[in-house]
Amino acid sequence: AMITTIAASLLSLSCSKVGGRVRISARASSRSATRPPSAPFAFLPRVAAAASLSACASPAFSVARARVSRVHRAPPLAPPAGRGRFSAMGAVSSKDEHGDSTDANGGGRGSQGREYVEMGPRIMKVFPDEPGFDPRRDWDIVCDVRSPAEWEDDHVPGSVSTPVLDNEERARVGTIYKQESPFLAKKLGASLVAKNLGKILDEHFQDKEKDTRVLVYCWRGGERSMSLAHVLSRVGFKVGLIPGGYKRYRAGVLEFLRTMDGFRYHLIAGKTGCAKGKMLDQLKAQGAQVLDLEAMAQHRGSVLGEDPAWDNKQPSQKFFDTRIWEQARTFDRSRPIFVEGESSMIGRLQIPKNTWAGMRKGSVTLLEVPMESRVRWIRGGYKHFETTDVSRLVEKLQKLVPKCGKKKVAEWEEMIAAERWDEFVEDILLNHYDSAYADAAKRSGRDDENAEFLMLPDTEDETYARAAADLIAKHDVSAPPPIVVEREAEKEEVAA
């Protein structure tokens, strides 16, 4: 008892619970009164006795020499309510209730020896708004785990739809989340995701090697993407995940499109049938920077512009934006972009605002070819209207009644019924498309009066290849650096 009293007068004692153990420590104190340890942990007299003897044996008493500790087993402590946080896959977050830290995957040892479950290989963070982001080049497979409807609306270029919840499942879970309970929704979602993960592995990964590079994303980079990314990383694949998911990717696309008016544009314009798209193909084949907006919009820009090659469907506005972003982000801003002279709408799609603003300021080459060549080119590109889609052609002509009149449309219908195709095409060009083109040019504000006229004898490949080479030689040059000319007065002022 006496030893205990002496020791207590020299030391203050503290107890702490670490990793399922009780740690009792003694440290030097200037206080003479004893301070008993907090219940329910009992301090052992022999520990204090040893500390007391050690202190008395050395006049140069120090904290380092006085400290004594002994560890005893104790039942594990449950985390206090409301403390601690868990990641998408259940790993303890970077700080728990004792301030211990973990690595990014929830594994490792905390500052006081706390141990955690290792969650497998690291999953790399990938940021789509960085300039070097290239999903087609850097990843062997890009998995969009959102629902099929979300993927159809827009997706990272080159990605495949690998939904962990399909359209109906996502709607069902979302309804429960809002109307009943987030916990109930997560339980159901986890069950459905677990089943779908097996399907994804069977359909997309059974033939993949271990060094396959896989990028995964969902709407916001949360539960859905982490579920697949975690499983793939545990299998052994090299896995990346987009923090912020599609939402972050889309924000990056819009930010880039806002800079599109900073490019220089050279417009390839001309009446319908002048093979403007063919000229763009030739320019691209010879190394020019080309945006083929009609191809991206899956539409030829007129009332008859739907193409059966795309099932007469256009992409969403978001995916149209994505196609422009994917192409233009690789372009050199010191060189021009060749683009077809369009109206601001292609079918039901809108050319992005700043892209259109840049086009309106661009220089223009105006193509012209003989009517005979225009008719031949039109018939070659719209063969389906002479064979499988005759009734669809007649149906679409009804949309021209307000502008061209019932009598003219009836005449066209007679030509179609009699298969007088050359006559029909020439007549609709003269009485509809040419005037429509002139009106669209005026609305766009395009400067056709100062355009460069390029008259070509036909639409043959060799003719357009030569013309494309000439256009590149004349217009596809880097912008010269700005030249600063010092005025004489400025030179004299600097000299003074």
Side-chain angles (χ1 to χ4, degrees), residues 283-307:
L283 288 165
K284 186 175 182 180
Q286 297 182 41
Q289 297 184 151
V290 172
L291 276 182
D292 191 343
L293 296 175
E294 288 191 355
M296 294 176 178
Q298 298 176 193
H299 197 280
R300 299 179 184 178
S302 69
V303 70
L304 304 179
E306 293 179 356
D307 194 326

PDB file of all heavy atoms in Angstrom, residues 283-307:
ATOM      1  N   LEU A 283     -10.600  15.684 -98.113  1.00  0.00           N
ATOM      2  CA  LEU A 283      -9.772  16.541 -97.268  1.00  0.00           C
ATOM      3  C   LEU A 283      -9.226  15.757 -96.072  1.00  0.00           C
ATOM      4  O   LEU A 283      -8.040  15.850 -95.726  1.00  0.00           O
ATOM      5  CB  LEU A 283     -10.583  17.746 -96.786  1.00  0.00           C
ATOM      6  CG  LEU A 283     -10.895  18.812 -97.836  1.00  0.00           C
ATOM      7  CD1 LEU A 283     -11.996  19.742 -97.337  1.00  0.00           C
ATOM      8  CD2 LEU A 283      -9.636  19.620 -98.177  1.00  0.00           C
ATOM      9  N   LYS A 284     -10.094  14.989 -95.456  1.00  0.00           N
ATOM     10  CA  LYS A 284      -9.671  14.193 -94.292  1.00  0.00           C
ATOM     11  C   LYS A 284      -8.639  13.146 -94.687  1.00  0.00           C
ATOM     12  O   LYS A 284      -7.658  12.921 -93.967  1.00  0.00           O
ATOM     13  CB  LYS A 284     -10.894  13.524 -93.657  1.00  0.00           C
ATOM     14  CG  LYS A 284     -10.585  12.788 -92.363  1.00  0.00           C
ATOM     15  CD  LYS A 284     -11.853  12.263 -91.721  1.00  0.00           C
ATOM     16  CE  LYS A 284     -11.557  11.571 -90.400  1.00  0.00           C
ATOM     17  NZ  LYS A 284     -12.816  11.060 -89.765  1.00  0.00           N
ATOM     18  N   ALA A 285      -8.856  12.502 -95.828  1.00  0.00           N
ATOM     19  CA  ALA A 285      -7.919  11.478 -96.288  1.00  0.00           C
ATOM     20  C   ALA A 285      -6.533  12.053 -96.540  1.00  0.00           C
ATOM     21  O   ALA A 285      -5.531  11.332 -96.445  1.00  0.00           O
ATOM     22  CB  ALA A 285      -8.461  10.818 -97.557  1.00  0.00           C
ATOM     23  N   GLN A 286      -6.468  13.340 -96.853  1.00  0.00           N
ATOM     24  CA  GLN A 286      -5.181  13.986 -97.137  1.00  0.00           C
ATOM     25  C   GLN A 286      -4.613  14.737 -95.930  1.00  0.00           C
ATOM     26  O   GLN A 286      -3.683  15.522 -96.067  1.00  0.00           O
ATOM     27  CB  GLN A 286      -5.334  14.918 -98.334  1.00  0.00           C
ATOM     28  CG  GLN A 286      -5.701  14.183 -99.618  1.00  0.00           C
ATOM     29  CD  GLN A 286      -5.801  15.108-100.823  1.00  0.00           C
ATOM     30  OE1 GLN A 286      -4.975  16.012-100.992  1.00  0.00           O
ATOM     31  NE2 GLN A 286      -6.798  14.892-101.672  1.00  0.00           N
ATOM     32  N   GLY A 287      -5.191  14.483 -94.734  1.00  0.00           N
ATOM     33  CA  GLY A 287      -4.599  15.010 -93.509  1.00  0.00           C
ATOM     34  C   GLY A 287      -5.179  16.283 -92.958  1.00  0.00           C
ATOM     35  O   GLY A 287      -4.672  16.808 -91.957  1.00  0.00           O
ATOM     36  N   ALA A 288      -6.242  16.801 -93.556  1.00  0.00           N
ATOM     37  CA  ALA A 288      -6.846  18.027 -93.034  1.00  0.00           C
ATOM     38  C   ALA A 288      -7.671  17.723 -91.790  1.00  0.00           C
ATOM     39  O   ALA A 288      -8.069  16.584 -91.541  1.00  0.00           O
ATOM     40  CB  ALA A 288      -7.720  18.682 -94.099  1.00  0.00           C
ATOM     41  N   GLN A 289      -7.917  18.762 -90.993  1.00  0.00           N
ATOM     42  CA  GLN A 289      -8.794  18.636 -89.817  1.00  0.00           C
ATOM     43  C   GLN A 289     -10.234  18.833 -90.287  1.00  0.00           C
ATOM     44  O   GLN A 289     -10.593  19.901 -90.787  1.00  0.00           O
ATOM     45  CB  GLN A 289      -8.414  19.684 -88.765  1.00  0.00           C
ATOM     46  CG  GLN A 289      -7.002  19.497 -88.233  1.00  0.00           C
ATOM     47  CD  GLN A 289      -6.662  20.475 -87.119  1.00  0.00           C
ATOM     48  OE1 GLN A 289      -5.865  20.177 -86.249  1.00  0.00           O
ATOM     49  NE2 GLN A 289      -7.248  21.662 -87.144  1.00  0.00           N
ATOM     50  N   VAL A 290     -11.074  17.806 -90.102  1.00  0.00           N
ATOM     51  CA  VAL A 290     -12.423  17.822 -90.660  1.00  0.00           C
ATOM     52  C   VAL A 290     -13.448  17.456 -89.598  1.00  0.00           C
ATOM     53  O   VAL A 290     -13.251  16.502 -88.827  1.00  0.00           O
ATOM     54  CB  VAL A 290     -12.546  16.832 -91.842  1.00  0.00           C
ATOM     55  CG1 VAL A 290     -13.992  16.709 -92.301  1.00  0.00           C
ATOM     56  CG2 VAL A 290     -11.652  17.285 -93.001  1.00  0.00           C
ATOM     57  N   LEU A 291     -14.524  18.217 -89.548  1.00  0.00           N
ATOM     58  CA  LEU A 291     -15.704  17.854 -88.761  1.00  0.00           C
ATOM     59  C   LEU A 291     -16.839  17.557 -89.734  1.00  0.00           C
ATOM     60  O   LEU A 291     -17.348  18.467 -90.393  1.00  0.00           O
ATOM     61  CB  LEU A 291     -16.127  19.005 -87.836  1.00  0.00           C
ATOM     62  CG  LEU A 291     -15.431  19.162 -86.486  1.00  0.00           C
ATOM     63  CD1 LEU A 291     -16.052  20.329 -85.723  1.00  0.00           C
ATOM     64  CD2 LEU A 291     -15.523  17.893 -85.659  1.00  0.00           C
ATOM     65  N   ASP A 292     -17.210  16.294 -89.848  1.00  0.00           N
ATOM     66  CA  ASP A 292     -18.332  15.913 -90.704  1.00  0.00           C
ATOM     67  C   ASP A 292     -19.589  15.871 -89.840  1.00  0.00           C
ATOM     68  O   ASP A 292     -19.962  14.832 -89.291  1.00  0.00           O
ATOM     69  CB  ASP A 292     -18.060  14.558 -91.356  1.00  0.00           C
ATOM     70  CG  ASP A 292     -19.059  14.242 -92.466  1.00  0.00           C
ATOM     71  OD1 ASP A 292     -20.123  14.892 -92.503  1.00  0.00           O
ATOM     72  OD2 ASP A 292     -18.779  13.342 -93.279  1.00  0.00           O
ATOM     73  N   LEU A 293     -20.238  17.010 -89.704  1.00  0.00           N
ATOM     74  CA  LEU A 293     -21.363  17.138 -88.788  1.00  0.00           C
ATOM     75  C   LEU A 293     -22.565  16.296 -89.217  1.00  0.00           C
ATOM     76  O   LEU A 293     -23.303  15.778 -88.372  1.00  0.00           O
ATOM     77  CB  LEU A 293     -21.763  18.609 -88.653  1.00  0.00           C
ATOM     78  CG  LEU A 293     -20.698  19.511 -88.021  1.00  0.00           C
ATOM     79  CD1 LEU A 293     -21.146  20.969 -88.052  1.00  0.00           C
ATOM     80  CD2 LEU A 293     -20.398  19.076 -86.594  1.00  0.00           C
ATOM     81  N   GLU A 294     -22.778  16.153 -90.534  1.00  0.00           N
ATOM     82  CA  GLU A 294     -23.904  15.338 -90.990  1.00  0.00           C
ATOM     83  C   GLU A 294     -23.706  13.871 -90.631  1.00  0.00           C
ATOM     84  O   GLU A 294     -24.653  13.184 -90.239  1.00  0.00           O
ATOM     85  CB  GLU A 294     -24.096  15.505 -92.499  1.00  0.00           C
ATOM     86  CG  GLU A 294     -24.665  16.856 -92.896  1.00  0.00           C
ATOM     87  CD  GLU A 294     -25.089  16.886 -94.357  1.00  0.00           C
ATOM     88  OE1 GLU A 294     -24.857  15.883 -95.080  1.00  0.00           O
ATOM     89  OE2 GLU A 294     -25.639  17.915 -94.786  1.00  0.00           O
ATOM     90  N   ALA A 295     -22.477  13.388 -90.746  1.00  0.00           N
ATOM     91  CA  ALA A 295     -22.201  12.008 -90.357  1.00  0.00           C
ATOM     92  C   ALA A 295     -22.392  11.832 -88.855  1.00  0.00           C
ATOM     93  O   ALA A 295     -22.942  10.822 -88.394  1.00  0.00           O
ATOM     94  CB  ALA A 295     -20.792  11.608 -90.766  1.00  0.00           C
ATOM     95  N   MET A 296     -21.942  12.808 -88.076  1.00  0.00           N
ATOM     96  CA  MET A 296     -22.108  12.728 -86.624  1.00  0.00           C
ATOM     97  C   MET A 296     -23.574  12.802 -86.216  1.00  0.00           C
ATOM     98  O   MET A 296     -23.991  12.172 -85.235  1.00  0.00           O
ATOM     99  CB  MET A 296     -21.335  13.861 -85.952  1.00  0.00           C
ATOM    100  CG  MET A 296     -19.831  13.756 -86.112  1.00  0.00           C
ATOM    101  SD  MET A 296     -18.996  15.199 -85.403  1.00  0.00           S
ATOM    102  CE  MET A 296     -17.279  14.755 -85.694  1.00  0.00           C
ATOM    103  N   ALA A 297     -24.350  13.566 -86.958  1.00  0.00           N
ATOM    104  CA  ALA A 297     -25.772  13.718 -86.652  1.00  0.00           C
ATOM    105  C   ALA A 297     -26.625  12.624 -87.284  1.00  0.00           C
ATOM    106  O   ALA A 297     -27.832  12.559 -87.026  1.00  0.00           O
ATOM    107  CB  ALA A 297     -26.269  15.086 -87.128  1.00  0.00           C
ATOM    108  N   GLN A 298     -26.005  11.786 -88.124  1.00  0.00           N
ATOM    109  CA  GLN A 298     -26.715  10.703 -88.815  1.00  0.00           C
ATOM    110  C   GLN A 298     -27.916  11.250 -89.600  1.00  0.00           C
ATOM    111  O   GLN A 298     -29.023  10.715 -89.563  1.00  0.00           O
ATOM    112  CB  GLN A 298     -27.165   9.627 -87.824  1.00  0.00           C
ATOM    113  CG  GLN A 298     -26.009   8.948 -87.108  1.00  0.00           C
ATOM    114  CD  GLN A 298     -26.435   7.947 -86.058  1.00  0.00           C
ATOM    115  OE1 GLN A 298     -25.627   7.503 -85.249  1.00  0.00           O
ATOM    116  NE2 GLN A 298     -27.687   7.580 -86.050  1.00  0.00           N
ATOM    117  N   HIS A 299     -27.656  12.330 -90.325  1.00  0.00           N
ATOM    118  CA  HIS A 299     -28.723  12.982 -91.083  1.00  0.00           C
ATOM    119  C   HIS A 299     -28.082  13.849 -92.154  1.00  0.00           C
ATOM    120  O   HIS A 299     -27.012  14.420 -91.952  1.00  0.00           O
ATOM    121  CB  HIS A 299     -29.572  13.848 -90.150  1.00  0.00           C
ATOM    122  CG  HIS A 299     -30.908  14.231 -90.718  1.00  0.00           C
ATOM    123  ND1 HIS A 299     -31.065  15.265 -91.621  1.00  0.00           N
ATOM    124  CD2 HIS A 299     -32.141  13.723 -90.504  1.00  0.00           C
ATOM    125  CE1 HIS A 299     -32.340  15.371 -91.927  1.00  0.00           C
ATOM    126  NE2 HIS A 299     -33.027  14.447 -91.264  1.00  0.00           N
ATOM    127  N   ARG A 300     -28.741  13.976 -93.327  1.00  0.00           N
ATOM    128  CA  ARG A 300     -28.178  14.745 -94.434  1.00  0.00           C
ATOM    129  C   ARG A 300     -28.713  16.163 -94.513  1.00  0.00           C
ATOM    130  O   ARG A 300     -28.506  16.863 -95.504  1.00  0.00           O
ATOM    131  CB  ARG A 300     -28.438  14.004 -95.744  1.00  0.00           C
ATOM    132  CG  ARG A 300     -27.768  12.632 -95.757  1.00  0.00           C
ATOM    133  CD  ARG A 300     -28.054  11.893 -97.030  1.00  0.00           C
ATOM    134  NE  ARG A 300     -27.492  10.544 -96.996  1.00  0.00           N
ATOM    135  CZ  ARG A 300     -27.627   9.649 -97.959  1.00  0.00           C
ATOM    136  NH1 ARG A 300     -28.308   9.953 -99.064  1.00  0.00           N
ATOM    137  NH2 ARG A 300     -27.104   8.450 -97.846  1.00  0.00           N
ATOM    138  N   GLY A 301     -29.406  16.576 -93.467  1.00  0.00           N
ATOM    139  CA  GLY A 301     -29.738  17.989 -93.351  1.00  0.00           C
ATOM    140  C   GLY A 301     -30.863  18.479 -94.228  1.00  0.00           C
ATOM    141  O   GLY A 301     -30.883  19.655 -94.573  1.00  0.00           O
ATOM    142  N   SER A 302     -31.810  17.650 -94.603  1.00  0.00           N
ATOM    143  CA  SER A 302     -32.943  18.107 -95.398  1.00  0.00           C
ATOM    144  C   SER A 302     -34.163  17.272 -95.027  1.00  0.00           C
ATOM    145  O   SER A 302     -34.075  16.324 -94.239  1.00  0.00           O
ATOM    146  CB  SER A 302     -32.661  17.970 -96.896  1.00  0.00           C
ATOM    147  OG  SER A 302     -32.599  16.605 -97.273  1.00  0.00           O
ATOM    148  N   VAL A 303     -35.295  17.618 -95.623  1.00  0.00           N
ATOM    149  CA  VAL A 303     -36.526  16.887 -95.319  1.00  0.00           C
ATOM    150  C   VAL A 303     -36.417  15.415 -95.732  1.00  0.00           C
ATOM    151  O   VAL A 303     -37.084  14.545 -95.180  1.00  0.00           O
ATOM    152  CB  VAL A 303     -37.735  17.567 -96.008  1.00  0.00           C
ATOM    153  CG1 VAL A 303     -37.672  17.388 -97.522  1.00  0.00           C
ATOM    154  CG2 VAL A 303     -39.046  17.025 -95.452  1.00  0.00           C
ATOM    155  N   LEU A 304     -35.561  15.121 -96.712  1.00  0.00           N
ATOM    156  CA  LEU A 304     -35.342  13.746 -97.146  1.00  0.00           C
ATOM    157  C   LEU A 304     -34.021  13.189 -96.607  1.00  0.00           C
ATOM    158  O   LEU A 304     -33.508  12.206 -97.110  1.00  0.00           O
ATOM    159  CB  LEU A 304     -35.338  13.669 -98.686  1.00  0.00           C
ATOM    160  CG  LEU A 304     -36.570  14.209 -99.399  1.00  0.00           C
ATOM    161  CD1 LEU A 304     -36.402  14.078-100.909  1.00  0.00           C
ATOM    162  CD2 LEU A 304     -37.834  13.489 -98.942  1.00  0.00           C
ATOM    163  N   GLY A 305     -33.509  13.839 -95.563  1.00  0.00           N
ATOM    164  CA  GLY A 305     -32.145  13.544 -95.118  1.00  0.00           C
ATOM    165  C   GLY A 305     -31.958  12.303 -94.274  1.00  0.00           C
ATOM    166  O   GLY A 305     -30.818  11.934 -93.974  1.00  0.00           O
ATOM    167  N   GLU A 306     -33.021  11.654 -93.828  1.00  0.00           N
ATOM    168  CA  GLU A 306     -32.851  10.437 -93.040  1.00  0.00           C
ATOM    169  C   GLU A 306     -32.153   9.368 -93.866  1.00  0.00           C
ATOM    170  O   GLU A 306     -32.350   9.266 -95.076  1.00  0.00           O
ATOM    171  CB  GLU A 306     -34.203   9.914 -92.556  1.00  0.00           C
ATOM    172  CG  GLU A 306     -34.878  10.840 -91.551  1.00  0.00           C
ATOM    173  CD  GLU A 306     -36.228  10.302 -91.124  1.00  0.00           C
ATOM    174  OE1 GLU A 306     -36.652   9.263 -91.674  1.00  0.00           O
ATOM    175  OE2 GLU A 306     -36.858  10.912 -90.247  1.00  0.00           O
ATOM    176  N   ASP A 307     -31.319   8.559 -93.191  1.00  0.00           N
ATOM    177  CA  ASP A 307     -30.531   7.547 -93.887  1.00  0.00           C
ATOM    178  C   ASP A 307     -30.831   6.175 -93.323  1.00  0.00           C
ATOM    179  O   ASP A 307     -30.719   5.953 -92.106  1.00  0.00           O
ATOM    180  CB  ASP A 307     -29.041   7.854 -93.723  1.00  0.00           C
ATOM    181  CG  ASP A 307     -28.183   7.054 -94.695  1.00  0.00           C
ATOM    182  OD1 ASP A 307     -28.555   5.908 -95.006  1.00  0.00           O
ATOM    183  OD2 ASP A 307     -27.142   7.579 -95.142  1.00  0.00           O
TER     184      ASP A 307
END
